[in-house]
């Protein structure tokens, strides 16, 4: 099975609209298409799932086992306080590795963004490279599954 889930949290549907100095000018749909294309070029099927609702993200995480070889997660602001999201990852991360991605450098932003409660249950974190972080995550998955 070579399928990667790209799981995107609150407000990531507004990339290209919100804080263009932080997130860039490309739309979320354009970036999603590029993620799918890049994954395909590297031998993976990709699914992108975005929700502004914590419970829906948790429900999706619960379905990951046996479906995906890895999950690339940009949890947005949930990164910093969602223990329920962290616990959902911990339920399945022995079977499915999670890579935490942030388009912005969370350590160069507001103080409250410096702490990730999900990092301890992820295999790694990529931050500050814009949409390229998603492509770097595909490279990391390649190294993990080959």
């Amino acid at each position: 099975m070579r399928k990667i889930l790209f799981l995107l949290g609150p407000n990531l549907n507004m990339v290209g609209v919100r804080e263009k100095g932080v997130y860039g000018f490309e739309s979320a749909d354009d970036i999603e298409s590029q993620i799918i294309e890049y994954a395909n070029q590297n031998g993976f099927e990709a699914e992108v799932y975005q929700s502004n609702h914590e419970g829906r993200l948790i429900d999706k995480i619960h379905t990951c086992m046996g479906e995906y070889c890895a999950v690339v997660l940009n949890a947005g602001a949930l990164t910093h306080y969602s223990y329920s999201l962290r616990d959902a990852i911990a339920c399945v991360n022995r079977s499915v590795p999670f890579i935490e991605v942030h388009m912005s450098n969370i350590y160069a932003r507001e103080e409250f963004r410096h702490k990730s409660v999900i990092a301890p249950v992820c295999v790694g974190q990529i931050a500050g490279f814009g949409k390229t972080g998603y492509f770097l995550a595909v490279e990391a998955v390649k190294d993990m599954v080959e």
Side-chain angles (χ1 to χ4, degrees):
M1 164 201 27
R2 293 180 55 95
K3 187 174 180 183
I4 303 171
L5 173 62
F6 292 83
L7 190 58
L8 308 176
N11 300 309
L12 289 165
N13 58 311
M14 299 302 288
V15 168
V17 175
R18 68 182 272 228
E19 299 179 271
K20 293 178 183 179
V22 174
Y23 298 104
F25 293 86
E26 289 183 270
S27 73
D29 288 340
D30 288 344
I31 293 171
E32 178 179 329
S33 296
Q34 292 171 47
I35 289 168
I36 292 169
E37 181 180 343
Y38 190 85
N40 290 165
Q41 290 170 350
N42 283 278
F44 295 97
E45 184 180 343
E47 178 184 343
V48 179
Y49 180 86
Q50 187 277 327
S51 180
N52 293 317
H53 305 280
E54 184 176 19
R56 289 186 183 151
L57 295 169
I58 291 167
D59 289 343
K60 189 67 173 175
I61 289 168
H62 289 170
T63 68
C64 288
M65 294 185 304
E67 182 75 20
Y68 305 98
C69 63
V71 176
V72 175
L73 171 62
N74 184 340
L78 294 173
T79 298
H80 314 294
Y81 66 86
S82 179
Y83 294 104
S84 57
L85 192 64
R86 182 227 176 268
D87 289 349
I89 296 166
C91 288
V92 301
N93 69 352
R94 292 189 197 274
S95 301
V96 183
F98 281 69
I99 299 171
E100 180 182 356
V101 171
H102 299 282
M103 293 179 72
S104 68
N105 180 352
I106 60 175
Y107 303 101
R109 297 186 65 193
E110 303 92 342
E111 179 73 26
F112 74 90
R113 296 186 196 275
H114 295 185
K115 170 84 170 144
S116 168
V117 300
I118 64 172
V121 292
C122 294
V123 295
Q125 181 187 75
I126 301 167
F129 297 101
K131 70 178 182 183
T132 302
Y134 299 115
F135 309 144
L136 293 170
V138 170
E139 296 299 324
V141 173
K142 275 178 28 182
D143 287 345
M144 287 188 297
V145 300
E146 292 181 348

